[in-house]
Amino acid sequence: MVSLPGSPATSLLRFLFLGLTTLAPPSRAQLELHVPPGLTKLQAIEGAEVVLPMWYTLQGEVSSTKPKPWEVLTLMWFLEEEKGLMEVLSHISGVTSSKTGASLVYSMPSRNVSLRLQGLQEKDSGPYLCSVNVQASQGKESRVHSSRTLELNVLVPPAPPSCHLRGVPRVGTNVTLGCQSPRSKPAAQYQWVRSPPSSQVFFAPALDAIRGSLSLKNLSISMSGVYICKAHNEVGSAQCNVTLEVSTGHGATVVAGAVVGTLVGLGLLAVLVILYHRRAKALEEPANDIKEDAIAPRTLPWPKGSDTISKNGTLSSVTSARALRLPRGTPRPGALTPTPSLSSQVPPSPGLPRTDGAHPQPISHNPAGVSSSALSRMGAVPVMVPAQSQAGSLV
């Protein structure tokens, strides 16, 4: 298209548009443009074609006839836009030029000046101005002019919409199904239906036909299925669908229970391990420590040099108290009295008999000592006496 103000033939276009002549004064003949009744406003679908009907007659003619041999036609079609007139087609001096997709329905010369538009786009909508300038009579340099406007509205069917789901489809919850077409002229209306076998058609207030939303409340398992959204206007339609799967939520509960159970089990296991280590440590500490306030075990007096003491400090035999008891008289030559214990201040062992309630009297030591055989003849009985280990426990 070419803008009228910027065209190289600006003066000529203005002359044609205003119906002025530079050759001679206007004649009394008149030119009239005709449009079929009811076709002043046309509608067409994007991508299709349309014909803008127009023909002209001269003064006194009832109907359109073939042009006279002396008629010279100058024709122009314009699209009126906000920025000015845009040239669509022109026929000047027998030469026709046009933009892509525009052409004359009838070849020239003809009084039918209808315009055909193919491959329509939405931007082709608007008022179309037809301007006709004709030499009116034979032998006279006179021209007549007329113009008329037709309105074209290019409609666009809805583009394929997109469907989406908002919300979590679980039993008892609410969700919203959305549907929107990115392009439509006029604006699309929306309708939601549920596909078979559970066919269902939805209406307001659950359905918003303008925004394309469908509200589903208090979901149940039976509401699962395929939901179809249809976007439509007066020239076409398109659709999309979304699958609704309503769950009971048990799956999520089982997973959450398993996770919680695992964490609790690990926590109990950790507590048991900690308690086991603390108990083991508590049992090891008394065995490794020597208590300062521990009482030494009670011991019996032993003969000096006796071979009845083993290398590990335990007693192998001890004379009985009866054999070691001294006579009231003078002691026999060669007889020995028991030697006082190293811990003489510790009371005697309760397992041994006392000697008349009196404490043993210290006597002189026999340098020779007493042999184990002599102790046996004297009636001594071997007795095991516990000893204390270095760790403080009794052996």
Side-chain angles (χ1 to χ4, degrees), residues 4 31 90 111 151 197 204 240 250 256 263 273 278 295 301 341 344 352:
L4 179 60
L31 184 148
S90 66
R111 287 187 175 181
E151 187 77 24
C240 62
H250 292 165
L263 295 177
V273 171
R278 287 184 177 179
I295 301 175
S341 172
S344 57
L352 297 178

Side-chain angles (χ1 to χ4, degrees), residues 191-250:
Q191 177 65 58
W192 279 96
V193 297
R194 185 178 177 185
S195 63
S198 301
S199 299
Q200 186 177 3
V201 180
F202 298 94
F203 301 95
L207 172 67
D208 188 336
I210 303 299
R211 294 184 175 88
S213 62
L214 175 65
S215 298
L216 300 177
K217 298 182 179 180
N218 194 20
L219 293 179
S220 62
I221 296 296
S222 62
M223 297 174 69
S224 299
V226 178
Y227 290 75
I228 300 173
C229 172
K230 183 179 180 181
H232 60 90
N233 62 13
E234 56 190 86
V235 294
S237 64
Q239 66 182 33
C240 62
N241 63 77
V242 61
T243 301
L244 177 65
E245 296 181 358
V246 181
S247 63
T248 59
H250 292 165

Side-chain angles (χ1 to χ4, degrees), residues 56-73:
Y56 72 89
T57 61
L58 296 176
Q59 181 183 14
E61 297 178 345
V62 178
S63 62
S64 177
T65 61
K66 292 183 179 180
K68 302 298 188 288
W70 42 263
E71 289 182 15
V72 178
L73 174 66

Side-chain angles (χ1 to χ4, degrees), residues 31-36 39-40 42 51-57 64 73 75-78 104-106 108 110-116 128-132 146-151:
L31 184 148
E32 185 177 359
L33 291 175
H34 303 274
V35 176
L39 294 181
T40 56
L42 303 173
V51 173
L52 306 183
M54 189 81 65
W55 70 88
Y56 72 89
T57 61
S64 177
L73 174 66
L75 169 66
M76 300 199 72
W77 279 94
F78 299 98
L104 290 172
V105 176
Y106 297 93
M108 295 292 109
S110 174
R111 287 187 175 181
N112 193 320
V113 292
S114 299
L115 176 68
R116 175 186 286 115
Y128 282 78
L129 174 65
C130 177
S131 176
V132 176
S146 184
S147 63
R148 191 162 182 175
T149 301
L150 297 178
E151 187 77 24

Side-chain angles (χ1 to χ4, degrees), residues 17-356:
F17 182 75
L18 297 175
L20 301 177
T21 178
T22 58
L23 300 177
S27 69
R28 295 179 180 179
Q30 295 181 354
L31 184 148
E32 185 177 359
L33 291 175
H34 303 274
V35 176
L39 294 181
T40 56
K41 293 184 178 181
L42 303 173
Q43 288 186 341
I45 302 175
E46 186 179 52
E49 69 174 51
V50 67
V51 173
L52 306 183
M54 189 81 65
W55 70 88
Y56 72 89
T57 61
L58 296 176
Q59 181 183 14
E61 297 178 345
V62 178
S63 62
S64 177
T65 61
K66 292 183 179 180
K68 302 298 188 288
W70 42 263
E71 289 182 15
V72 178
L73 174 66
T74 301
L75 169 66
M76 300 199 72
W77 279 94
F78 299 98
L79 172 61
E80 297 181 7
E81 295 182 340
E82 293 181 358
K83 58 184 179 180
L85 295 175
M86 302 298 295
E87 180 182 329
V88 178
L89 181 143
S90 66
H91 178 80
I92 302 174
S93 302
V95 178
T96 302
S97 62
S98 64
K99 72 159 193 166
T100 302
S103 63
L104 290 172
V105 176
Y106 297 93
S107 59
M108 295 292 109
S110 174
R111 287 187 175 181
N112 193 320
V113 292
S114 299
L115 176 68
R116 175 186 286 115
L117 299 175
Q118 295 176 311
L120 290 174
Q121 299 180 9
E122 184 182 0
K123 65 180 182 179
D124 293 330
S125 298
Y128 282 78
L129 174 65
C130 177
S131 176
V132 176
N133 193 299
V134 177
Q135 181 175 320
S137 60
Q138 183 178 10
K140 294 182 180 180
E141 297 295 337
S142 64
R143 304 185 71 89
V144 290
H145 172 268
S146 184
S147 63
R148 191 162 182 175
T149 301
L150 297 178
E151 187 77 24
L152 175 63
N153 184 22
V154 179
L155 305 180
V156 180
S162 59
C163 293
H164 56 273
L165 169 67
R166 294 192 298 268
V168 180
R170 287 202 299 262
V171 173
T173 62
N174 303 331
V175 298
T176 301
L177 305 182
C179 176
Q180 194 68 39
S181 175
R183 187 167 177 262
S184 177
K185 181 184 177 181
Q189 299 284 314
Y190 299 93
Q191 177 65 58
W192 279 96
V193 297
R194 185 178 177 185
S195 63
S198 301
S199 299
Q200 186 177 3
V201 180
F202 298 94
F203 301 95
L207 172 67
D208 188 336
I210 303 299
R211 294 184 175 88
S213 62
L214 175 65
S215 298
L216 300 177
K217 298 182 179 180
N218 194 20
L219 293 179
S220 62
I221 296 296
S222 62
M223 297 174 69
S224 299
V226 178
Y227 290 75
I228 300 173
C229 172
K230 183 179 180 181
H232 60 90
N233 62 13
E234 56 190 86
V235 294
S237 64
Q239 66 182 33
C240 62
N241 63 77
V242 61
T243 301
L244 177 65
E245 296 181 358
V246 181
S247 63
T248 59
H250 292 165
T253 304
V254 170
V255 172
V259 172
V260 173
T262 302
L263 295 177
V264 171
L266 292 175
L268 292 177
L269 181 61
V271 171
L272 292 176
V273 171
I274 293 174
L275 292 177
Y276 174 80
H277 283 290
R278 287 184 177 179
R279 183 174 180 82
K281 186 176 181 181
L283 293 176
E284 291 178 358
E285 288 179 353
N288 295 332
D289 297 338
I290 300 177
K291 296 182 179 180
E292 296 181 357
D293 57 348
I295 301 175
R298 298 174 181 148
T299 58
L300 295 175
W302 295 96
K304 186 176 181 180
S306 173
D307 58 354
T308 59
I309 303 177
S310 62
K311 292 181 180 181
N312 59 2
T314 59
L315 298 178
S316 60
S317 63
V318 64
T319 57
S320 63
R322 186 181 299 274
L324 295 177
R325 186 179 298 171
L326 294 176
R328 296 183 179 272
T330 304
R332 290 183 303 171
L336 296 177
T337 58
T339 305
S341 172
L342 296 178
S343 56
S344 57
Q345 296 182 3
V346 178
S349 174
L352 297 178
R354 294 181 178 273
T355 56
D356 298 334

